[in-house]
Amino acid sequence: MPFVPHTESDISTMLSRVGVAALGELFDEIPAGLRIKGLEGIGPALSEAEITQLMQMRARHDGEPLCFIGAGAYDHYVPAAVWDIATRGEFYSAYTPYQAEASQGTLQVIYEFQTMLASLTGLEVSNASLYDGATAFAEACLMAVRANRKNRSRNILVPRTLSPAYREVARVMLKGQRIELVELPMRDGISDLKTLDNLSAGDFAAVAIQNPNFLGSLDHVDVLTDWAHSGGALVIGVANPMALALLKPPGQWGAAGADIACGEGQPMGIPMSSGGPYFGFLVCRQAVIRQMPGRIVGRTVDLEGKPGFTLTLQAREQHIRRSRATSNICTNQGLVATAATIYMSLLGAPGLRSVATSCNANTSALVEALIALPGVTRSFAAPFFHEAVLAFDRPVAGVLDALSSNGILGGYDLSADYPELGNALLVCATEMRSAADISAYADTAREILGAAA
Amino acid sequence: MTEPLIFEYSSASRQGFVADSDARPNLLAEVLRTDELMLPSASELEVVRHYTRLSQQNFSIDTQFYPLGSCTMKYNPRVCNRLAMLPQFLGRHPLGPVEHGQGYLQTMFELQEMLQVATGMAAVSLTPMAGAQGEFAGVAMIRAYHESRGDEARNQIIVPDAAHGTNPATATMCGCEVVEIPTREDGDLDIDRLRAVAGSNTAGIMLTNPSTLGLFERQIEEIAAIIHAAGGLLYYDGANLNAILGKTLPGDMGFDVIHMNLHKTFSTPHGGGGPGSGAVGVTERLKPFLPVPFVQKVDGRYTWATEEQYPQSIGRLSAFMGNAGVLLRAYVYMRMLGRTGMERVSDFAVLNANYLMVCLREAGFEVAFPERRASHEFIVSLKQIARETGVTAMDFAKALLDYGFHAPTTYFPLLVPECLLIEPTESESRRSLDGFVAAMAKIRDAAYSDPDTVKQAPLTMPVRRLDDVHAAKQPDLVWQSAESGQRKG
Amino acid sequence: MSEVPESCLYTKDHEWLRLEDDGSVTVGITDHAQEALGELVFVELPEAGAGLGVGDACAVIESVKAASDIYCPVAGEVTEANASLTEEPELVNSSPYGDGWVFRLRPEDAKALDQMMDAESYGRFLAEVED
């Protein structure tokens, strides 16, 4: 029997000890009318060899196209040690570290994780991870509404340039509590500062700022942060941790810095893996820690005075505060955060800076190569980190289809999310894309554009 | 024994993995950061040793019996991990075209179908990333259903007092009011109280069945009738699905919406706190409200269902499609079990629980509901031992660690004083169950002969008992190097 | 047996109230409540000037294992919160009726105090609860 260790003799010994004649009797409290004959519709078991062949065939079928899509998930190199260590059974098959003495490994990893995230974002305290960047953003909005003591607003000002998926997830998660997202318009791929004149920061619990924004551009983080604080709104900084290896972190934006930072942790050693599991991060100032959702690890001492780690500030959480908890989150993305901690340890600051710089350089090279083609231009002049928007003289979908049949994923079509941008494509070239890859993209695109024209 | 922090290995000149680039960023100095990042600079071998050593300070299923009630700590087959980490699966961009994802999408489609069969539901969405998010999706769908019918006054969610904390917390997140229902002496729900509160404000009820007390709720059909008659819907918290897999279906019990913890019943790893997956299933009438995206099959081609196709959907719960890698592991596990294997899961999960319960009772322990059949888990109350010796459930939990067993869940559910909630799962052999009983008996004997020593436990772990009060009063959540010193995080 | 001073009034939520000479009402949690919670690690206080209605959740008292809301027992305006609890929440454990008071308010209607239990009734109530 797969994954059941009992022998026939074990089973009969155990049944008689329990005092039943057959396994079926163990279910005698289920009303007879509800009992089923079994799971008709589930096929027969496959052996390990058979399932391996099946999955390998399906994986091969999907292939390994050359990826120039970013849009929130990025194709970075992951050193072999990262997942070799993270999937050791002692990390992989452990539970949430509620029994601290038997979970010091996981707890210390998370404490190190919290330290790294606080440093990257330039803020003071971090939690142990949330599901992904989108839910971390939604939780940051909820947290800001609870934490803002200067006003009782239930509105959050959110730029149109902030990830459409994050805005949609936040809308879904905030709806029940009647918290609204108000859109800050964009101009030239960044927030339109002129529109601030018609708004009052005091009408918002928080102002969200994504940098680089969804379109890859660097936004007016200092001006927006100071404007928000001047009216008593908190600032939520949404950031890509890879970009933070180079860019001024949320904690240093404007005069006072953002109050909360959040984002998608995937670029830190997590494979793209069809969208997950990734991890969201949430970091804040010490002053608002009691409004933080999710698990937090603290360093303390044991009864002999020796340092050790434990889950702390648990009175915020659902298993203690129930209906008045800061969030319903219980399971987070522990193993993925473990992998990210190992990744950041292996690369260190110089390694991360080097990867981030390569991404910036490769995307610049890609943009140069593509705007050399007829009918392709840059949509905006704003500086970018590792993604940029290109305008085409024809619908992007057809170009992407043709590229895809040549094994190239050419970018993310923006026409559904940003129809006002026309035939716009968001492209990204990480450190993984070589000069040859970029030439292959440009050459193929040249043929496609030439053939169709 | 103490492993230093990774930062303490650091020497400024080293770096574990050399990513070489001479390029300089094409950005103005004013946008660049100028401070030093607090990241380690250790060699690759130092990093590998550090995290390997840390891993060795953990209990885990791969190394210990882990009878944590309500958590279903069953074996996580290695092959599930290997196949989910095939390079093409890992390398697939979530926004890549479906032409480059038919293998993956077919797998997800078949997983949806298998989960429908296993729960008696009409449709499944795999997007929720953990049980609590599945709960959120469920309650949000219930609200959307009532709103779609103009029935907007329904804002109460009924929750038994024995429920997981996530149930009331979820109801609050969805903007609902929580109404708690007590549990009767025999462990079933107080149905008279339910009748009294169910009414025109009832949005729905959230139930775990078997309950968190490890008991099958015998009045489930009557409960369903009461809630449906009041115009509410029933939500099934799938935390305990392992107990009934292949024996009965939440759909037949009258539930309208359910979530499944794939990291419990379907054996994906807990990973020291996640990632999980909280796939949701619904009956026909809630289908329009399912969270997108989910996989559909049209003319032999697999595609993602979108908001445009399902305008009444509650919307998206993640930036992409949920915890894909977790879903792949669950799929591999389910295919390897097949129909017979899946039915045996509950057979042996329940046999192990009842066997362990009987053995502990015969060893003199007080079982919370001795007249009832255990489901896949059961409760031992140490109230009498605590009163007579001062040794509490927490002391037992810590002492078990010294015997090489992870502690059961302690002090939950809140209804039973000094309780241990014990869930052995189908993975454990009779030998490990017998070993656990022997350890429990030894600790009990020690509680009477030498209680102070038991209260000192654990003695063999990397640390002794930790000062939780100190941790909460002076939170030290982020390491500060001696030089960066003053500002305390 | 926990301490129940004669000078205070009580609620079923284990809060105490004391009418001060200036007409304000001091609110805290009872000895029984602090003992049940265990050593406190944090107290979240209401802000002076806040207007509270009966039953409003206005403060939070946290131990490691539990968090308990303080529900405002009588309507009124908060005049002062016990700032020393921010640094020393354990004062609630060591002196629940003295230095561990939580906040003061000016009641809208002092007659509301008539609804509260006196020490004797609360003592009886405790005996039932602890049974």
Side-chain angles (χ1 to χ4, degrees):
Chain A
M1 282 177 274
F3 317 125
V4 175
H6 302 333
T7 62
E8 286 304 323
S9 116
D10 285 333
I11 296 168
S12 58
T13 308
M14 292 170 81
L15 286 172
S16 75
R17 190 80 180 265
V18 172
V20 297
L23 287 165
E25 282 180 45
L26 294 170
F27 301 89
D28 52 8
E29 289 196 0
I30 300 177
L34 294 178
R35 289 291 305 272
I36 55 169
K37 291 223 168 64
L39 296 172
E40 276 171 53
I42 303 283
L46 298 184
S47 70
E48 181 167 331
E50 286 166 336
I51 187 74
T52 298
Q53 284 168 341
L54 176 70
M55 297 306 280
Q56 282 174 339
M57 187 185 75
R58 288 186 181 176
R60 271 197 305 272
H61 184 276
D62 290 352
E64 292 176 272
L66 204 51
C67 181
F68 292 91
I69 312 177
Y74 303 95
D75 187 14
H76 295 296
Y77 183 73
V78 181
V82 172
W83 285 92
D84 259 31
I85 305 285
T87 54
R88 281 179 64 90
E90 299 94 326
F91 284 134
Y92 187 77
S93 73
Y95 191 68
T96 302
Y98 287 128
Q99 290 292 338
E101 298 86 351
S103 313
Q104 285 297 298
T106 290
L107 287 163
Q108 183 170 333
V109 169
I110 296 172
Y111 180 83
E112 294 177 357
F113 168 86
Q114 291 173 180
T115 302
M116 294 177 195
L117 265 298
S119 174
L120 274 170
T121 55
L123 283 163
E124 291 162 3
V125 286
S126 167
N127 77 1
S129 79
L130 297 168
Y131 306 132
D132 73 353
T135 63
F137 174 62
E139 289 280 13
C141 294
L142 287 167
M143 183 181 168
V145 169
R146 291 190 299 266
N148 192 332
R149 289 194 156 205
K150 291 196 178 140
N151 67 44
R152 297 207 158 185
S153 168
R154 298 183 81 73
N155 291 333
I156 312 277
L157 186 64
V158 181
R160 182 161 173 75
T161 53
L162 194 136
S163 161
Y166 289 18
R167 285 184 280 143
E168 160 67 2
V169 171
R171 184 191 65 75
V172 172
M173 285 178 63
L174 305 181
K175 185 178 175 224
Q177 299 185 49
R178 302 190 189 289
I179 297 169
E180 303 271 345
L181 304 181
V182 177
E183 188 174 285
L184 179 66
M186 72 170 183
R187 188 187 175 88
D188 297 332
I190 51 178
S191 299
D192 185 356
L193 294 181
K194 279 204 185 116
T195 58
L196 294 180
D197 297 342
N198 307 320
L199 297 168
S200 164
D203 292 338
F204 301 99
V207 176
I209 307 167
Q210 185 176 20
N211 195 56
N213 66 27
F214 183 72
L215 303 173
S217 308
L218 302 190
D219 214 321
H220 303 290
V221 292
D222 299 321
V223 178
L224 286 166
T225 299
D226 291 341
W227 178 81
H229 282 152
S230 71
L234 296 176
V235 171
I236 300 169
V238 182
N240 176 336
M242 185 59 81
L244 291 177
L246 296 177
L247 301 179
K248 196 158 69 166
Q252 294 171 20
W253 292 352
D259 304 279
I260 300 168
C262 63
E264 174 58 68
Q266 181 270 335
M268 298 291 101
I270 316 307
M272 295 191 291
S273 188
S274 288
Y278 300 167
F279 70 94
F281 61 87
L282 187 60
V283 195
C284 68
R285 301 205 171 282
Q286 177 81 45
V288 291
I289 184 75
R290 302 252 165 198
Q291 300 307 332
M292 178 80 100
R295 295 172 187 143
I296 298 174
V297 171
R299 186 159 66 158
T300 183
V301 289
D302 72 2
L303 52 80
E304 290 172 349
K306 197 167 131 183
F309 302 88
T310 184
L311 290 172
T312 191
L313 306 177
Q314 294 189 68
R316 301 163 295 111
E317 294 182 70
Q318 49 76 28
H319 61 283
I320 292 183
R321 288 209 81 189
R322 300 177 74 83
S323 66
R324 294 181 56 78
T326 47
S327 167
N328 69 344
I329 191 168
C330 178
T331 290
N332 57 24
Q333 304 288 112
L335 191 71
V336 192
T338 300
T341 308
I342 301 170
Y343 177 84
M344 290 186 276
S345 298
L346 283 170
L347 269 80
L352 277 190
R353 266 198 301 273
S354 155
V355 172
T357 304
S358 297
C359 293
N360 176 255
N362 288 352
T363 301
S364 299
L366 175 68
V367 167
E368 291 307 315
L370 294 179
I371 59 175
L373 305 179
V376 184
T377 54
R378 262 199 82 191
S379 295
F380 317 118
F384 58 85
F385 167 56
H386 70 353
E387 284 179 276
V389 180
L390 301 176
F392 282 67
D393 62 359
R394 68 198 75 188
V396 163
V399 180
L400 287 180
D401 280 348
L403 284 165
S404 169
S405 5
N406 285 283
I408 294 171
L409 307 184
Y412 178 69
D413 183 354
L414 292 166
S415 58
D417 294 320
Y418 298 93
E420 70 271 31
L421 297 180
N423 300 319
L425 179 70
L426 183 66
V427 296
C428 173
T430 66
E431 87 282 11
M432 297 278 277
R433 295 293 83 83
S434 65
D437 294 341
I438 290 168
S439 301
Y441 184 176
D443 294 345
T444 312
R446 183 186 304 277
E447 278 176 33
I448 292 164
L449 295 171
Chain B
M1 189 73 197
T2 306
E3 175 65 17
L5 291 163
I6 187 69
F7 309 103
E8 293 169 309
Y9 281 95
S10 295
S11 99
S13 59
R14 269 178 304 183
Q15 176 194 333
F17 172 80
V18 182
D20 48 4
S21 162
D22 304 328
R24 300 176 65 85
N26 183 20
L27 293 164
L28 293 173
E30 66 190 43
V31 304
L32 299 178
R33 76 186 296 162
T34 52
D35 58 335
E36 273 302 305
L37 276 174
M38 174 71 78
L39 291 179
S41 42
S43 73
E44 177 161 337
L45 178 57
E46 282 171 332
V47 172
V48 167
R49 278 198 186 139
H50 172 71
Y51 290 105
T52 302
R53 283 184 191 140
L54 285 185
S55 77
Q56 291 169 334
Q57 297 195 6
N58 270 0
F59 273 31
S60 68
I61 303 174
D62 281 4
T63 50
Q64 273 94 5
F65 178 34
Y66 215 121
L68 205 54
S70 171
C71 302
T72 313
M73 300 297 283
K74 62 168 78 175
Y75 172 56
N76 309 136
R78 282 274 142 191
V79 65
C80 301
N81 184 53
R82 179 197 279 182
L83 298 181
M85 296 192 83
L86 290 173
Q88 296 89 342
F89 289 143
L90 292 186
R92 190 175 167 276
H93 194 288
L95 301 173
V98 296
E99 284 66 35
H100 284 290
Q102 287 297 297
Y104 170 71
L105 271 86
Q106 180 181 359
T107 303
M108 294 301 105
F109 184 79
E110 290 172 4
L111 178 59
Q112 289 171 187
E113 290 197 314
M114 284 194 289
L115 293 172
Q116 285 166 28
V117 171
T119 58
M121 291 284 141
V124 162
S125 169
L126 303 170
T127 172
M129 291 176 281
Q133 214 191 20
E135 290 181 34
F136 179 92
V139 176
M141 281 190 268
I142 289 174
R143 290 213 81 177
Y145 168 78
H146 293 311
E147 274 170 27
S148 75
R149 305 165 72 239
D151 197 358
E152 300 195 2
R154 295 186 180 273
N155 71 333
Q156 291 181 346
I157 292 285
I158 300 170
V159 173
D161 56 2
H164 296 115
T166 48
N167 290 177
T170 297
T172 303
M173 270 191 109
C174 291
C176 292
E177 189 187 315
V178 177
V179 180
E180 254 192 15
I181 299 281
T183 304
R184 286 193 321 234
E185 288 277 302
D186 67 0
D188 285 338
L189 197 69
D190 184 340
I191 205 148
D192 295 330
R193 188 82 196 107
L194 180 69
R195 245 185 230 108
V197 304
S200 57
N201 290 327
T202 302
I205 186 170
M206 300 178 85
L207 277 183
T208 310
N209 194 18
S211 69
T212 60
L213 303 169
L215 304 172
F216 191 86
E217 173 58 64
R218 294 168 293 190
Q219 319 162 96
I220 184 60
E221 292 162 294
E222 205 177 344
I223 292 170
I226 292 168
I227 295 295
H228 282 149
L233 299 181
L234 282 89
Y235 177 85
Y236 181 85
D237 178 327
N240 293 344
L241 189 62
N242 215 49
I244 59 164
L245 198 58
K247 300 298 178 292
T248 179
L249 302 172
D252 290 356
M253 295 179 209
F255 287 96
D256 302 282
V257 50
I258 75 166
H259 91 261
M260 299 149 262
N261 299 90
L262 303 188
H263 49 292
K264 295 180 182 176
T265 315
F266 298 109
S267 182
T268 68
H270 285 74
S277 172
V280 285
V282 292
T283 51
E284 207 59 53
R285 68 170 147 181
L286 286 180
K287 228 169 150 177
F289 307 100
L290 264 187
V292 289
F294 47 89
V295 183
Q296 52 192 1
K297 187 177 181 183
V298 183
D299 301 331
R301 183 167 170 268
Y302 300 93
T303 58
W304 295 107
T306 62
E307 290 93 328
E308 288 71 39
Q309 292 168 313
Y310 290 86
Q312 286 184 295
S313 162
I314 58 163
R316 287 178 178 264
L317 298 169
S318 74
F320 300 109
M321 295 83 178
N323 281 338
V326 177
L327 300 169
L328 285 169
R329 286 169 176 83
Y331 176 83
V332 171
Y333 175 75
M334 292 180 85
R335 290 300 304 268
M336 288 183 75
L337 289 182
R339 173 179 170 172
T340 321
M342 245 183 259
E343 291 161 9
R344 282 179 181 151
V345 162
S346 52
D347 280 339
F348 293 105
V350 174
L351 176 63
N352 278 0
N354 279 281
Y355 175 77
L356 193 54
M357 180 172 84
V358 167
C359 292
L360 284 169
R361 195 171 62 204
E362 288 174 2
F365 285 92
E366 183 190 341
V367 169
F369 299 96
E371 74 289 359
R372 297 286 305 266
R373 183 80 71 203
S375 62
H376 64 312
E377 62 187 356
F378 62 96
I379 295 172
V380 163
S381 171
L382 302 170
K383 190 177 168 189
Q384 191 187 347
I385 296 172
R387 200 170 52 225
E388 291 173 3
T389 68
V391 171
T392 63
M394 185 55 74
D395 298 324
F396 261 79
K398 302 301 183 195
L400 278 166
L401 304 178
D402 280 334
Y403 282 93
F405 294 106
H406 193 278
T409 298
T410 51
Y411 300 103
F412 179 83
L414 309 167
L415 306 181
V416 183
E418 297 298 333
C419 70
L420 299 178
L421 179 62
I422 304 173
E423 179 181 5
T425 83
E426 73 278 13
S427 307
E428 296 299 329
S429 65
R430 182 159 73 95
R431 185 191 164 104
S432 66
L433 303 180
D434 291 345
F436 181 78
V437 175
M440 285 288 286
K442 278 188 193 154
I443 296 165
R444 193 251 333 271
D445 294 347
Y448 283 96
S449 61
D450 185 8
D452 288 344
T453 304
V454 182
K455 294 186 82 64
Q456 293 289 312
L459 298 168
T460 61
M461 295 292 109
V463 291
R464 302 287 303 278
R465 280 193 215 190
L466 293 158
D467 187 344
D468 290 331
V469 172
H470 175 82
K473 264 186 171 167
Q474 280 141 350
D476 170 0
L477 313 177
V478 164
W479 186 69
Q480 309 287 327
S481 70
E483 307 91 77
S484 72
Q486 308 312 319
R487 199 197 61 187
K488 192 72 189 158
Chain C
M1 201 54 208
S2 57
E3 195 193 341
V4 183
E6 294 287 336
S7 58
C8 297
L9 296 168
Y10 299 89
T11 74
K12 287 190 172 177
D13 296 323
H14 305 285
E15 291 160 18
W16 60 261
L17 301 84
R18 192 169 55 224
L19 184 61
E20 307 294 349
D21 294 342
D22 64 357
S24 69
V25 171
T26 305
V27 180
I29 67 165
T30 67
D31 191 27
H32 169 84
Q34 70 78 18
E35 204 177 313
L37 284 165
E39 186 169 350
L40 296 191
V41 296
F42 181 70
V43 179
E44 186 183 311
L45 297 164
E47 292 198 15
L52 298 175
V54 177
D56 284 358
C58 57
V60 184
I61 301 233
E62 269 184 39
S63 67
V64 173
K65 304 281 177 237
S68 180
D69 286 284
I70 296 187
Y71 297 100
C72 189
V74 290
E77 186 187 312
V78 177
T79 55
E80 192 185 355
N82 185 359
S84 52
L85 298 184
T86 309
E87 288 300 314
E88 297 175 88
E90 64 273 20
L91 288 173
V92 177
N93 298 109
S94 58
S95 175
Y97 300 103
D99 293 343
W101 64 278
V102 180
F103 66 96
R104 284 201 181 96
L105 55 71
R106 191 177 305 113
E108 270 171 24
D109 182 0
K111 282 203 194 103
L113 294 176
D114 299 346
Q115 309 291 316
M116 305 297 144
M117 289 184 275
D118 60 14
E120 195 193 329
S121 324
Y122 181 64
R124 274 200 305 273
F125 174 68
L126 272 189
E128 283 169 33
V129 176
E130 285 173 356
D131 190 25

